Amino acid sequence: MSETLKKKLPSSDPKMTKPTRDTIISPPTGVFVPVPTFFQPASNNTLQAKIDVETQVKHSVYLARNGIRGLVLLGSTGEAIHLSREERFELISSVRKGLNDAGFLDYPIMAGVLINSVDEALEWLQDFSRAGAQWGLVLAPGYFGLAVNQENIKDWYTVVADNSPMPILIYNYPGVTNQIIVTPETYTHLAQHPNIVGCKMSHGNVSYHVQVSLDPEIDHDKFRVYSGFGQQLGPIVFFGAAGVIDGLAAMYPRTLSRLMDMAEKRPIEPKTLKEIQAIQFAVSRAEEFIGKWGIVGIKEGVYRVLGMGTLEGGRLPLRGKLPEGEWDKWEAITSRMKALEDAQ
């Protein structure tokens, strides 16, 4: 680690400057991309592949130029758990600088916090705030799975939010947290906290999306609801959700952005509704690829569609690529998405 980076990182017990009610800003509505973390080609001289900051910045700027309203760095797709503290700081600060240099000042960045310890969650948030992120996307603490009750989830998020140097969002992804589900009642409670400004639900329970998005006890200008699945975009935005944080948009940003732009307009004319339905059909079909192949599939898709990154996949244990011929099996779906993307 460079001496410059060491000086920027806070100590292990930082004195945090907490945001005040007047300085708290909620994230915008729209499509956010949970960007993958790019790595350089593997080398026999290193324990694991190094992060590829140049490609990371290039991809982020491309998304900003093509309609994406914000980024999620170092979320689950970004493999935050596979990076060191120094790498996480370098990645966020480099993307922030790259966006600024490209003219995207104050471009929205959420940063993933994927740790169960309150102290370490606050350490990550402090680092990310100094690196240039505006919000922390904080994963529900699920190591102990079903042993965790809703009251303890409320208390855990309250302690983190009370002490976080920036606003946070609740991140519920049962697939990586031993099937923890945050209930609508818990969201209603936590949405009252001034430093909790939204949530991401990465599960298929659309009823929960709708309940939280329409809850009259929640200030929806302040507390924003996002899905982790693009196949839910049209339906949940129609019923009040703020948007999606979606991996398919890493490859086809203009198409997902177009879908979002039309879905949030009111009233929806019959001609517009027909286009929404056509794009949503194509997106939902393409999301089957994301659901099957996850991070490895997203990285290969970005490489094949945009020519960015490599076919190396992620870091161990996710290193690898699609089986031979697998991408070709999805040709009918990817061709439809390419035609939509080119038309935007």
Side-chain angles (χ1 to χ4, degrees), residues 59-69 104 107 249 252-258 306 341 344:
H59 183 241
S60 295
V61 172
Y62 176 85
L63 296 175
R65 286 176 174 160
N66 284 276
I68 296 302
R69 297 188 194 167
F104 294 97
Y107 188 79
Y252 304 107
R254 294 192 295 273
T255 301
L256 271 294
S257 296
R258 172 68 174 168
L306 303 180
E341 190 76 0
Q344 305 309 321

Side-chain angles (χ1 to χ4, degrees), residues 8-29:
K8 289 183 178 179
L9 284 170
S11 65
S12 59
D13 185 23
K15 294 182 179 179
M16 299 185 181
T17 301
K18 292 182 286 186
T20 65
R21 187 180 295 268
D22 293 337
T23 62
I24 293 173
I25 298 174
S26 299
T29 63

Side-chain angles (χ1 to χ4, degrees), residues 162-277:
D162 282 346
N163 293 280
S164 174
M166 61 180 172
I168 67 170
L169 292 86
I170 301 159
Y171 178 20
N172 188 193
Y173 183 5
V176 296
T177 55
N178 288 311
Q179 302 306 314
I180 276 186
I181 292 287
V182 179
T183 66
E185 294 78 12
T186 296
Y187 285 117
T188 302
H189 174 86
L190 291 173
Q192 312 311 314
H193 195 292
N195 210 27
I196 299 178
V197 295
C199 66
K200 176 189 179 184
M201 300 186 202
S202 289
H203 57 67
N205 191 333
V206 175
S207 175
Y208 277 21
H209 288 82
V210 172
Q211 288 182 56
V212 180
S213 296
L214 297 178
D215 190 338
E217 295 184 34
I218 293 176
D219 177 359
H220 299 289
D221 288 330
K222 176 256 186 185
F223 187 88
R224 299 287 170 79
V225 178
Y226 303 88
S227 170
F229 301 148
Q231 57 265 56
Q232 297 173 342
L233 193 159
I236 65 168
V237 170
F238 183 79
F239 285 102
V244 295
I245 300 172
D246 176 62
L248 187 67
M251 299 171 246
Y252 304 107
R254 294 192 295 273
T255 301
L256 271 294
S257 296
R258 172 68 174 168
L259 180 57
M260 179 71 205
D261 290 345
M262 292 188 298
E264 66 182 341
K265 287 182 179 178
R266 300 291 183 273
I268 299 177
E269 302 296 332
K271 181 179 179 181
T272 302
L273 178 59
K274 187 175 181 179
E275 185 179 355
I276 290 173
Q277 290 172 337

Side-chain angles (χ1 to χ4, degrees), residues 284-305:
S284 294
R285 279 288 175 90
E287 293 284 356
E288 297 292 326
F289 171 78
I290 303 297
K292 181 175 182 179
W293 292 107
I295 295 171
V296 171
I298 291 172
K299 287 195 170 185
E300 183 147 342
V302 170
Y303 177 81
R304 290 182 179 274
V305 175

